[in-house]
Amino acid sequence: MEENGSPPPVFETDENNTYFLCILPIHPLTTTVQNKRAIDETKDIAKQINDLSEINTYLSLSVSEIGDRDREAIKNEINDMTKIVLNYCTKPKSRDELFEKIGLYKNTKNFQNHIKPLIDFGWLNYTIPNKITSKDQKYYTTDLGEKLLLIVSEYHNSGIKRIPVVSSNIASVGYDENEHILEIEFHHRAVYQYFDVPEKIYEELMSSPSLGAYFMNEVKNKFKHKRK
């Protein structure tokens, strides 16, 4: 294959052994294989986010599965307006409240430009989806939107490396042995830090046949904690 994508020249002979140039057709799968190889060779997905809709692919992963470079690429795609709207609507807000918060006139153009795309992406939703023009309509941040907020948060990366675990409730666990901080990511995407946790508790949690049961009995409500 030549650099311009054309098939290479092939020389054949006729009955008089005279050489002439012919072109062989490309197999229809050639381009597909080349594209797949190009993707395989550039698995740095941080450079493959070309529009906001692609971000939802990453939101299907657990927080611990999203690398720092990918998280940084996602953060670069999310503007301040989006973060303000999603943060503000973690509790349902009316259209009046929402536009007052973002400092824009409440009109169709601003709604289509700043609010509707977030609904289309599944990050924001109606409280009355079957009657979107209702005077009682409000907007709330979905689980997907909250996951996005967690990823783009400046405070997300605590430096504590979490390890994926097998549990019906817990997705990953990390521990800072210097600060005695136990960090737990749950399958519903929330991440909590528990403070002044002895290393022994962390070791017993990780070796427990049921991490969820051990957490409920030995960690939950027994240490000061905060949600990240």
Side-chain angles (χ1 to χ4, degrees), residues 25-38:
I26 298 177
H27 191 281
L29 290 180
T30 300
T31 303
T32 301
V33 172
Q34 288 177 331
N35 289 342
K36 183 179 186 302
R37 184 181 299 117

Side-chain angles (χ1 to χ4, degrees), residues 42-214:
T42 56
K43 288 188 176 179
D44 182 4
I45 52 181
K47 297 181 180 178
Q48 297 179 18
I49 298 176
N50 298 315
D51 62 65
L52 292 178
S53 62
E54 296 181 18
I55 291 176
N56 282 350
T57 301
Y58 303 96
L59 298 185
S60 65
L61 304 173
S62 67
V63 175
S64 60
E65 291 178 296
I66 302 175
D68 290 339
R69 289 174 61 83
D70 307 324
R71 187 180 298 114
E72 192 63 31
I74 293 172
K75 286 170 62 176
N76 290 338
E77 291 295 324
I78 303 301
N79 60 33
D80 290 340
M81 180 72 77
T82 296
K83 288 187 282 189
I84 290 172
V85 170
L86 294 181
N87 268 308
Y88 188 57
C89 291
T90 51
K91 292 185 178 180
K93 296 294 188 297
S94 67
R95 185 177 293 204
D96 287 344
E97 292 174 314
L98 189 49
F99 277 100
E100 182 178 355
K101 178 67 176 179
I102 62 180
L104 294 176
Y105 289 111
K106 187 184 70 172
N107 57 34
T108 301
K109 180 180 179 180
N110 283 333
F111 181 84
Q112 292 294 332
N113 288 340
H114 300 289
I115 308 302
K116 187 61 164 57
L118 304 186
I119 297 173
D120 293 340
F121 293 141
W123 304 341
L124 200 69
N125 203 359
Y126 304 100
T127 55
I128 312 175
N130 60 337
K131 193 175 182 181
I132 61 176
T133 59
S134 170
K135 63 182 179 61
D136 298 319
Q137 186 67 261
K138 291 187 177 183
Y139 308 88
Y140 70 93
T141 302
T142 64
D143 290 343
L144 208 61
E146 290 191 1
K147 173 90 173 282
L148 177 63
L149 285 176
L150 183 62
I151 292 171
V152 302
S153 170
E154 295 295 333
Y155 306 101
H156 170 73
N157 189 0
S158 62
I160 299 176
K161 183 178 180 179
R162 295 194 302 272
I163 302 172
V165 296
V166 178
S167 169
S168 59
N169 297 318
I170 299 174
S172 62
V173 178
Y175 184 74
D176 186 331
E177 60 184 15
N178 294 319
E179 300 296 332
H180 303 294
I181 299 174
L182 178 66
E183 187 170 288
I184 297 179
E185 175 196 9
F186 296 90
H187 283 302
H188 60 271
R189 303 187 183 113
V191 178
Y192 282 83
Q193 289 185 333
Y194 298 84
F195 303 96
D196 300 319
V197 178
E199 187 171 359
K200 179 182 178 182
I201 295 292
Y202 166 68
E203 293 174 347
E204 290 179 351
L205 171 66
M206 296 300 285
S207 61
S208 173
S210 174
L211 277 74
Y214 185 92

